[in-house]
Amino acid sequence: MARIVVIGLCTFVSLGALIFGMDGGYLSGVLAMPNFIEDFGRFNDRTGKYYIPAGRQSFITSFPYVGQFLAALSGGYIGDILGRRWGLFIMSVASVIGVVMQIVAKNEALFVTGRFFNYVSIGFATIFVPIYQAECSPRRIRGTMITLYQLNIVVGSFLISIVNNFTQEVKSDASYRIPIGLLLVLPVLIIPGLPFLPESPRWLMKRGREEEARKSLEIIHRGDVGFSVESEVLFLRATISEQEEINKASSWADCFKTTNRRRTLLAVLIQVMQQLTGVSFIFNYGTVFFSQIGVGGPFIIMIMTNLVNLVGTIVSFFLVDKLGRRPLLLAGSVVMFTGHIAVGIAGMKSDGNIAAQRAIVAFVLIYVFGFAASWGPLAWVITSEVSTNTLREKTQALGSASNILSSWLVTFSLPYLTNDDEAGLGPKVGFIFAVCVIAGGVYTFTWVPETSGRALEELDELFQQGVPARKFKGHEITGAAALVKLEKV
């Protein structure tokens, strides 16, 4: 019961991730809906049917990532100056603007502009949600709390895939406007709750607002009889002072100096590798992909895919702080490689072969489970943990921006790789992603440290001392971060 307030706050904040999941999930289904294809596609005189060319499909799907990228970069500045709560408010307003524009859109330009604003909201969510969760959670459950971010992305995608399945047969533009309209529910729920949300105590201490930090800690740890507010304030004051002495400046350039370079590269590369595993292949184009290879019931298959995604994320939710980050990432890499390589092999014989088509679906589900239980949530967990207090917003922004750029690259390229009017690889694109997964596994084994069970300030000391990645777990701390022993969790 002592942690019920922390769990409630982190759950509320992670509603911002639902926007992410529902937006990406609804488009995957909408792109395959006859009414949307007719309203925003072209008529093929040869086949007598409407279709969306690869170039237009790529534009609709990938251009909004520009808004997400810009928001991720500016989010670091906003979070540093205004704090986490104001960042969440701006995120919610951008979402309302974007959803309304998409609901009323009658042409491609307005529709894509609406998605641009929605992805601005998503960009802010990638900054403010995991940072708030990391800064407010006790170290023993921090990984679990940050995993709520990915869990809500998955829940959002799952719920909207069910809605898509029910509205796909509607004989009007309501078939795709209803799923879009449901996105309004999320910011409407978030905005009224923000005045009651305590600001991050670490951000308040960094800004010199110690009394407000005390009040925030009292709210967050209400009912925790073993927690001492004064000990935590002393701990934060000492460690933040030490870090500010080491990192006197906090410019963007400082992210690439001394030991911060290692932290920044960890945050950037873990996010790049996450996207290169091929998640956008499934969740941005899944319904279209399953339709292209001739599998029956593509909307039902996407519900199954999202359900497996949800189950995998729940598994990660319970294991991330028990097994640690590295074991889950490495195990997930093995499962994802198996799924991708099998999809590629089955894709070589999938034309008219029902058994091969079913095998593709099965191994896609295996890949999705491996991703959801490991790289999906853990990329965000590690990015939120590895930065120093003085550069946390900027490091998170660089990690998020790297994720967005990589996602845009994959999303933009996929129609040209898989569609029949271009390269026509179809399922054989699995071979490409399998190679990327191998690279991610090697990167994890060599460079990714074990961050579980450590306070954020302990991790600062380990990075400052240059401790190798594979020795993080058992290394003893000696500096100001040793005061973490006063924290009772």
Side-chain angles (χ1 to χ4, degrees), residues 431-451:
F431 291 125
I432 298 174
F433 291 125
V435 173
C436 294
V437 170
I438 292 175
V442 172
Y443 163 73
T444 299
F445 182 78
T446 308
W447 293 105
V448 177
E450 183 54 69
T451 57

Side-chain angles (χ1 to χ4, degrees), residues 269-384:
L269 291 177
I270 196 76
Q271 294 289 350
V272 170
M273 293 294 181
Q274 186 214 53
Q275 286 301 311
L276 292 184
T277 65
V279 61
S280 293
F281 169 46
I282 305 302
F283 291 103
N284 281 345
Y285 296 111
T287 312
V288 174
F289 168 71
F290 290 126
S291 298
Q292 288 173 339
I293 65 174
V295 176
F299 284 88
I300 296 295
I301 293 174
M302 279 309 298
I303 293 177
M304 294 168 54
T305 303
N306 280 288
L307 181 59
V308 170
N309 195 20
L310 178 60
V311 171
T313 306
I314 292 173
V315 169
S316 176
F317 183 82
F318 287 105
L319 296 181
V320 63
D321 284 315
K322 292 183 179 180
L323 297 184
R325 292 26 163 178
R326 282 170 59 89
L328 278 180
L329 287 171
L330 291 170
S333 297
V334 173
V335 175
M336 290 190 298
F337 173 79
T338 302
H340 274 314
I341 203 73
V343 167
I345 293 171
M348 298 175 70
K349 299 180 180 181
S350 62
D351 289 343
N353 187 324
I354 296 177
Q357 293 170 358
R358 290 175 176 172
I360 290 171
V361 173
F363 282 105
V364 163
L365 296 179
I366 289 173
Y367 157 77
V368 168
F369 179 83
F371 175 85
S374 59
W375 283 81
L378 286 176
W380 296 107
V381 171
I382 290 170
T383 301
S384 301

Side-chain angles (χ1 to χ4, degrees), residues 10 43 93 95-96 105 128 174 187 199 281 290 344 347 364 444 459 465 483:
C10 289
F43 187 76
V93 171
S95 178
V96 171
F128 302 123
E199 183 56 90
F281 169 46
F290 290 126
V364 163
T444 299
L459 296 174
Q465 292 179 1
L483 288 171

Side-chain angles (χ1 to χ4, degrees), residues 181-259:
L182 288 177
L183 297 180
L184 272 179
V185 173
L186 302 173
V188 169
L189 287 175
I190 293 172
I191 292 174
L194 290 177
F196 305 99
L197 186 75
E199 183 56 90
S200 161
R202 281 180 168 85
W203 179 79
L204 290 169
M205 288 293 292
K206 190 171 70 171
R207 304 298 293 182
R209 295 157 63 175
E210 189 170 305
E211 190 56 38
E212 292 178 65
R214 277 193 178 87
K215 293 179 181 178
S216 185
L217 286 168
E218 288 172 358
I219 295 173
I220 293 170
H221 295 278
R222 182 179 298 157
D224 189 348
V225 294
F227 181 84
S228 170
V229 171
E230 289 305 318
S231 294
E232 181 72 1
V233 169
L234 174 64
F235 168 61
L236 292 175
R237 187 193 301 151
T239 52
I240 290 173
S241 176
E242 181 181 66
Q243 284 300 312
E244 287 178 345
E245 181 65 27
I246 295 170
N247 303 284
K248 294 183 185 299
S250 58
S251 68
W252 289 97
D254 290 308
C255 292
F256 299 95
K257 295 178 180 178
T258 63
T259 60

